[in-house]
Amino acid sequence: MKVAVIGVGHVGLVTAATLAHFGHEVLGLDEDASKIESLERGVAPFYEPGLQDLLDEVLGSGKLRFTRDAARAIDGADCAFICVGTPARADGEANLLAVEKAALAVAGNATGDIVVIQKSTVPVSTADRLHLMFAKATIHNVRLVSSPEFLREGAAVEDSLNPDRILVGSDDPRAHELMKELYAPVLGDSCRYFEVDIHTAELAKHACNAFLALKISFANALARVCEASGADVDAVADIMGSDHRIGREFLNAGLGYGGYCFPKDLLAFKAVAGRLGYEFGLLEEVIKINRGALQAAVDKIKDALWNVESKKILLLGLSFKPGTDDVRESPSLNLARALTRLGANVVGHDPQANKFAVRELPGLQVVDDLYEGADGAHCIVICTEWPEFKDLDLVRLKGIVTLPIIVDGRNLLNEEAVVGAGFSYIPTGRPPVNL
Ligand code: UGA
């Protein structure tokens, strides 16, 4: 099939490359000139494991091409994916301006009947607006589909090539037939295919992200009680997780959830529920606990350092999670902001995200060599659980820091090894050691 993908960010680019890998003719459209320029040179504009190899393959075969010209992208397309950003407005509602613009680009440039697949995360009933808009803006028949994406950054290529589920929502039977054809090569034994009405698909995406965030906030609330009582939050999570009805994933306490999706999706889900007449107070609590997780880390650092002013604090990990260079809504950067406000001298190090961290937080000092950052530090904080931080040379670190204090915001390190090397160790959700 001939496919247009509008918006080649984390979701759009991976979707475009996957569809091209499975043999479709794909044109990626984006208004960001630097992104398209980079892709035309064959270079992925962000780090995602496996993405560059996949791009090499589909650019080589000619199945994937890029353009900034909407008419070129939409001309003759059987379907168009909308994969643009839906950031939060000040009142929490999703800002759907980019979705509207993308839909208008399809309507204005369609050369025949077309299937429009809404992949951006949007509040339930967005499809109604799109239906109205298409009815006015084009003479062609637009079959509308909501097919939210469930891929995780850091594992996006793997998730996209081997999805655990495909969700297709539409009120148009012919659109369902076409979507089955389009997705046919991706459907393996381990992939469930959900064919539902369009509102169910829109809402299911918000429900999934909200529930995952709820699990994380539950773990973070538990962590506070564990710290106060002397219990161990990881052991509690293991015990809970061994009950298959609960499951162990997303019960890791830490600095809270971040990233482009959960923070805005929680706000948007709460806002749309309120607009529909249901006050979803549980979501408000999830958001509050998430803020509390970061504040708990700030309090521990303050406690350990006494006066934070002018103390050097090294933050290890700046991306919102390992395996990505994405720093949007990163808890690490929020921690950097909070500590800077307290007068600390904050230095950051990330295996991939240094460049984007400085762009997001100008003035943040970053180092490529973490030992350079640790030189003279009064406190080291593990913010993101990059695997390479597990192998810190603790003896070397002990020799160069001013104060041997490690705050482990992700419970990544081996407590015995850290304490054995002479550090005070302040983990998350269990009592500090050697303070
Ligand atoms: C999330 C969902 O997991 C995907 O299914 C979804 O497709 C995506 O949002 C989206 O809507 O596009 P992602 O934002 O890539 O994916 O990241 P997650 O792996 O979900 O992690 C989100 C945040 O939660 C990170 O900051 C992570 O550190 C934190 N987290 C995760 C915890 O603090 N504890 C956990 O146990 C798990």
Side-chain angles (χ1 to χ4, degrees):
M1 281 196 205
K2 192 161 181 249
V3 181
V5 175
I6 308 176
V8 287
H10 286 81
V11 168
L13 183 55
V14 175
T15 301
T18 301
L19 290 168
H21 171 77
F22 285 115
H24 298 294
E25 296 286 334
V26 186
L27 249 168
L29 170 71
D30 205 295
E31 57 186 22
D32 182 336
S34 67
K35 209 179 265 177
I36 293 297
E37 189 263 325
S38 167
L39 287 164
E40 278 173 337
R41 279 189 291 113
V43 179
F46 51 83
Y47 172 72
E48 186 64 48
L51 180 59
Q52 189 59 55
D53 289 346
L54 187 62
L55 279 180
D56 291 346
E57 177 210 310
V58 291
L59 291 173
S61 67
K63 290 285 182 193
L64 177 58
R65 285 163 302 132
F66 297 96
T67 182
R68 286 174 65 203
D69 178 358
R72 194 178 146 222
I74 308 298
D75 183 24
D78 299 298
C79 56
F81 281 85
I82 298 180
C83 302
V84 295
T86 52
R89 289 188 189 277
D91 62 0
E93 293 268 7
N95 183 336
L96 300 176
L97 200 60
V99 171
E100 185 185 0
K101 251 177 101 178
L104 281 170
V106 177
N109 293 291
T111 49
D113 294 353
I114 190 164
V115 180
V116 172
I117 304 137
Q118 168 57 48
K119 239 185 200 316
S120 308
T121 303
V122 293
V124 63
S125 301
T126 300
D128 301 351
R129 283 284 183 177
L130 289 173
H131 270 305
L132 284 175
M133 198 221 80
F134 283 124
K136 287 191 200 131
T138 173
I139 51 162
H140 297 292
N141 184 13
V142 175
R143 300 180 192 281
L144 194 56
V145 170
S146 165
S147 184
E149 183 54 61
F150 296 103
L151 55 80
R152 302 157 298 168
E153 286 186 29
V157 171
E158 174 60 23
D159 285 351
S160 190
L161 293 174
N162 305 295
D164 58 358
R165 79 206 108 151
I166 299 276
L167 172 57
V168 177
S170 183
D171 301 328
D172 180 329
R174 177 71 187 130
H176 276 297
E177 282 170 29
L178 289 164
M179 290 307 291
K180 261 208 179 119
E181 212 180 299
L182 184 79
Y183 280 135
V186 196
L187 297 174
D189 290 345
S190 55
C191 176
R192 277 192 76 179
Y193 191 85
F194 290 92
E195 218 174 69
V196 296
D197 66 87
I198 205 155
H199 287 170
T200 299
E202 291 173 325
L203 193 122
K205 170 67 187 186
H206 265 162
C208 288
N209 277 3
F211 194 80
L212 290 170
L214 174 116
K215 280 190 90 175
I216 298 169
S217 278
F218 189 89
N220 283 322
L222 266 183
R224 304 291 83 78
V225 184
C226 288
E227 281 160 8
S229 63
D232 177 346
V233 76
D234 290 326
V236 175
D238 287 345
I239 294 160
M240 289 174 65
S242 69
D243 182 333
H244 71 272
R245 294 170 303 177
I246 299 174
R248 177 63 180 83
E249 284 184 75
F250 279 68
L251 280 180
N252 292 322
L255 300 181
Y257 60 77
Y260 183 65
C261 300
F262 286 177
K264 73 163 173 71
D265 289 351
L266 267 278
L267 289 171
F269 195 24
K270 189 171 99 50
V272 72
R275 193 154 35 81
L276 291 168
Y278 179 70
E279 285 311 317
F280 213 146
L282 182 62
L283 299 183
E284 181 65 51
E285 202 56 34
V286 169
I287 295 166
K288 201 172 120 197
I289 293 168
N290 198 53
R291 274 190 231 114
L294 194 83
Q295 187 55 45
V298 173
D299 292 344
K300 283 177 202 165
I301 295 165
K302 271 163 74 178
D303 251 17
L305 288 182
W306 188 20
N307 295 302
V308 174
E309 287 92 335
S310 68
K311 298 257 166 66
K312 181 176 181 185
I313 301 175
L314 172 64
L315 304 186
L316 291 184
L318 301 171
S319 56
F320 82 97
K321 69 176 199 178
T324 177
D325 54 12
D326 194 344
V327 297
R328 290 174 295 176
E329 294 289 329
S330 170
S332 326
L333 293 193
N334 286 335
L335 185 61
R337 288 185 184 96
L339 294 172
T340 305
R341 272 197 299 274
L342 291 173
N345 165 23
V346 180
V347 178
H349 164 81
D350 191 281
Q352 293 289 343
N354 278 351
K355 185 177 85 185
F356 290 104
V358 174
R359 208 176 284 174
E360 181 82 11
L361 193 55
L364 176 70
Q365 193 193 334
V366 294
V367 285
D368 289 333
D369 175 6
L370 74 89
Y371 296 95
E372 181 193 330
D375 194 12
H378 297 84
C379 180
I380 298 173
V381 188
I382 308 283
C383 296
T384 314
E385 65 277 33
W386 282 97
E388 38 271 70
F389 297 154
K390 271 190 179 163
D391 303 321
L392 291 177
D393 184 341
L394 294 163
V395 175
R396 182 173 168 199
L397 281 177
K398 174 69 171 55
I400 55 178
V401 295
T402 298
L403 282 178
I405 300 172
I406 293 184
V407 174
D408 194 345
R410 300 287 174 184
N411 288 352
L412 180 75
L413 304 184
N414 178 297
E415 181 173 306
E416 254 176 56
V418 175
V419 175
F423 282 88
S424 299
Y425 183 57
I426 307 170
T428 302
R430 52 177 202 266
V433 189
N434 204 20
L435 202 56

